Amino acid sequence: MSITYDRKTPHRFDVVGSYLRPEYLKEARKNYKAGKISEEELHKVEDQAITDLIHKQKEAGLGVLTDGEFRRETWHLDFMWAFEGVGHQPTTTGLPFAGEDAMIDDTYLTGKLGYKHHPFVDHFKFVQSFEDDKTVAKQTIPAPAQFLEQFEMPFALENTLKYYDNLDDFHEDVIKVYRAFINELYAAGCRNLQLDDCSWGLLVDPRGPQFFNTDQAGLDKIKQEFLDINNAVIDNQPSDLTITTHVCRGNFHSTYAASGGYDDVASFLFEKENVDAYFLEFDDARSGGFEPLKYVSGDKKVVLGLVTTKSPLLEKKEDIIARIHEASKYVPLDRLYLSPQCGFASCEIGNKLTEHEQWKKIQLVKLVKKSGDNAYMTFSS
């Protein structure tokens, strides 16, 4: 009997997108920054590392392929750096995560935003070349709301207003560059796009007013702004482009930036954001319960991130299946999917587990999915 593989994401057995970088790739990037190898030589190492990764993804039975974000230093900033009007430099302070500062580049405006050919399009085309009748490539990028957060939070706002008289004009330019990028990506053949979005994670944290230097009314205004800019980009796209989003609370070297359930953002994010599916973090108590899923509107799908990428500790299959059935009280089982809770290496440093442990996590997701095929759930590719 032949099996038909879905060309749309998510798949019942899926991943968020990033993987641990092999040591030889980390070494090549270090040598490139030190001037010991050329950009072309670095690209060759990246190509080899991504080729190896894609073979491993296929061997693991994954139907969705990514480049593991192997060409990036961070999950979000490299995307922003490729636009005109965005600059960056090594940080001296970093960003505060739980117990550790994320020493990722300070990123800021140097002028008005503009679009030119984006390297992520070429990155996608490389992965796409490995597609076959059992696999499909997806591209991950930071959500438009994440872009706003980067340049409008209190530490960045004064600089942003050097180049824009008001934030409405800035928002218009963000929408323009995102639409230009997606148009180019679509023309290259991409039909599965994932918007990674930690902005909602900061909003659910009890320290949200402190993060954004505002009160509860101000937070509600920010939620609406984030919703509006995401939908302004999503609603302008071709009908055959599947757009999903991944929402988490930060992921750096197995640490996190925020805590809190989805309750306070559910009526914005789940009810009104016009994505096809949500990849959601539900791996520990910081993520809260499943009840906010009752706000998921229409026929949107929910990918439950029940397997943590922050620890090598392997969850029990039976516990995961039980939690899926618990979530089905709020979203029908046929619209529930499964993945690890986040990427394994949102930044080049990666999380605190080995590559072997990473693949054991992925195999666990596959095992649960296979169990669902046979008895527990209506999971299928």
Side-chain angles (χ1 to χ4, degrees):
M1 182 177 67
S2 63
I3 299 175
T4 301
Y5 285 82
D6 198 344
R7 307 304 294 174
K8 293 184 176 182
T9 58
H11 285 190
R12 295 288 182 182
F13 161 40
D14 216 315
V15 291
V16 170
S18 69
Y19 292 85
L20 295 170
R21 276 67 156 173
E23 288 303 318
Y24 72 86
L25 176 58
K26 291 182 180 181
E27 186 67 21
R29 194 174 305 282
K30 187 186 302 182
N31 288 337
Y32 169 69
K33 289 184 174 181
K36 295 179 180 180
I37 64 173
S38 67
E39 185 174 13
E40 182 180 359
E41 289 172 312
L42 173 61
H43 287 335
K44 287 181 180 179
V45 177
E46 291 172 340
D47 287 351
Q48 183 58 57
I50 293 166
T51 300
D52 292 344
L53 173 67
I54 288 174
H55 290 324
K56 290 177 181 178
Q57 290 176 82
K58 290 186 176 185
E59 288 170 3
L62 283 162
V64 181
L65 305 177
T66 79
D67 64 4
E69 301 178 2
F70 279 8
R71 302 187 197 273
R72 311 184 203 180
E73 292 186 36
T74 71
W75 63 277
H76 59 320
L77 298 180
D78 298 65
F79 177 78
M80 300 176 189
W81 298 340
F83 292 119
E84 295 174 347
V86 177
H88 63 105
Q89 63 184 19
T91 187
T92 57
T93 59
L95 295 174
F97 275 63
E100 184 174 357
D101 289 337
M103 302 304 288
I104 56 179
D105 279 15
D106 294 333
T107 300
Y108 44 82
L109 290 188
T110 59
K112 288 189 179 296
L113 291 173
Y115 188 78
K116 55 186 177 182
H117 170 70
H118 201 293
F120 276 31
V121 176
D122 300 322
H123 300 175
F124 169 78
K125 289 165 72 173
F126 185 80
V127 179
Q128 184 187 38
S129 70
F130 291 91
E131 287 184 343
D132 52 34
D133 61 354
K134 294 183 179 180
T135 57
V136 63
K138 77 171 176 180
Q139 180 65 38
T140 65
I141 64 171
Q146 190 72 45
F147 206 99
L148 291 198
E149 186 178 88
Q150 180 66 40
F151 299 103
E152 291 187 13
M153 289 191 74
F155 65 84
L157 183 58
E158 182 178 356
N159 180 72
T160 297
L161 292 176
K162 291 179 183 177
Y163 305 102
Y164 286 93
D165 292 334
N166 59 74
L167 292 179
D168 287 343
D169 291 344
F170 175 58
H171 294 182
E172 288 182 11
D173 277 358
V174 172
I175 293 167
K176 286 178 183 177
V177 296
Y178 264 82
R179 287 178 176 175
F181 168 77
I182 296 174
N183 286 342
E184 187 180 8
L185 186 69
Y186 182 86
C190 182
R191 296 298 181 269
N192 293 283
L193 178 65
Q194 179 178 301
L195 305 177
D196 293 325
D197 201 348
C198 288
S199 59
W200 301 100
L202 291 186
L203 286 167
V204 303
D205 192 282
R207 298 165 294 170
Q210 176 185 340
F211 290 152
F212 292 94
N213 192 27
T214 188
D215 55 16
Q216 186 58 49
L219 286 184
D220 287 342
K221 181 180 178 182
I222 292 169
K223 294 171 194 174
Q224 189 65 50
E225 288 178 349
F226 286 175
L227 174 69
D228 289 345
I229 199 158
N230 283 347
N231 279 343
V233 170
I234 294 166
D235 294 348
N236 186 250
Q237 303 311 324
S239 59
D240 63 338
L241 176 63
T242 298
I243 300 181
T244 64
T245 190
H246 165 63
V247 179
C248 80
R249 295 155 186 80
N251 185 36
F252 176 81
H253 205 206
S254 293
T255 63
Y256 58 89
S259 298
Y262 295 101
D263 307 71
D264 287 344
V265 298
S267 62
F268 292 85
L269 176 64
F270 296 158
E271 186 173 5
K272 300 172 185 174
E273 188 169 276
N274 297 327
V275 291
D276 295 292
Y278 302 94
F279 285 75
L280 299 176
E281 181 178 57
F282 279 115
D283 63 321
D284 60 21
R286 287 188 307 104
S287 306
F290 295 125
E291 187 173 3
L293 294 180
K294 67 185 180 183
Y295 285 95
V296 175
S297 58
D299 60 357
K300 292 184 285 189
K301 301 168 184 176
V302 174
V303 186
L304 299 171
L306 300 175
V307 175
T308 190
T309 66
K310 288 179 162 61
S311 162
L313 183 65
L314 204 60
E315 293 84 351
K316 294 180 180 179
K317 182 184 73 171
E318 294 76 15
D319 292 343
I320 295 172
I321 292 171
R323 295 199 70 198
I324 291 171
H325 283 289
E326 184 182 347
S328 71
K329 297 175 184 177
Y330 306 101
V331 175
L333 200 57
D334 63 359
R335 285 168 35 214
L336 291 177
Y337 296 66
L338 182 65
S339 77
Q341 135 270 343
C342 194
F344 290 91
S346 299
C347 298
E348 191 169 30
I349 189 172
N351 282 349
K352 296 177 183 178
L353 68 170
T354 66
E355 286 190 55
H356 176 69
E357 291 163 341
Q358 165 186 266
W359 291 105
K360 284 180 70 175
K361 292 277 185 175
I362 291 171
Q363 286 300 327
L364 175 60
V365 176
K366 180 182 180 182
L367 179 63
V368 173
K369 182 263 179 189
K370 187 176 180 181
S371 296
D373 286 345
N374 294 333
Y376 295 94
M377 304 166 278
T378 56
F379 275 19
S380 60
S381 294

